[in-house]
Amino acid sequence: MSREKFDGRADWPSKIRELRRALGISQSQLAERLGLGNKKNVADWEQGSREPAPRRYVQLARLAPVDSPLAKWFSRRVLERVGADARTLAV
């Protein structure tokens, strides 16, 4: 359980893209799995023009392989987004 400083603000576009590619799916397919209307939201996230809401980070964490670095990253990012101190929580 690491307590190192976590700052996901700069990483989220690349982490979303990394997850999608690891799953072997398109932006449209990721949007569908998340219950989004179309791929525009996913494209905006990957381009860094709009960040997902905390509930979307929860969904992304659930799509990632269990106990993978990506699942942990998305879980920590949701904590950061809701104002929890992810540095002191064991995630």
Side-chain angles (χ1 to χ4, degrees):
M1 291 190 241
S2 174
R3 291 187 183 233
E4 77 250 11
K5 182 169 171 48
F6 176 78
D7 185 357
R9 289 175 291 186
D11 294 338
W12 55 269
S14 63
K15 293 294 184 182
I16 293 169
R17 188 176 312 107
E18 182 181 344
L19 173 63
R20 183 176 58 77
R21 289 179 177 164
L23 295 171
I25 60 175
S26 67
Q27 289 178 342
S28 296
Q29 291 168 317
L30 180 57
E32 184 178 318
R33 287 190 186 189
L34 297 173
L36 302 171
N38 58 51
K39 73 174 190 173
K40 182 170 178 6
N41 290 313
V42 175
D44 288 347
W45 298 343
E46 289 186 4
Q47 292 170 10
S49 60
R50 204 174 86 195
E51 186 170 8
R55 75 172 190 256
R56 298 298 182 201
Y57 279 118
V58 171
Q59 290 178 296
L60 291 164
R62 288 179 179 157
L63 289 175
V66 176
D67 291 331
S68 70
L70 278 172
K72 291 176 183 179
W73 188 93
F74 284 113
S75 296
R76 291 182 82 180
R77 183 64 184 141
V78 74
L79 291 172
E80 190 176 71
R81 289 274 290 161
V82 299
D85 189 352
R87 293 173 295 173
T88 61
L89 299 171
V91 176

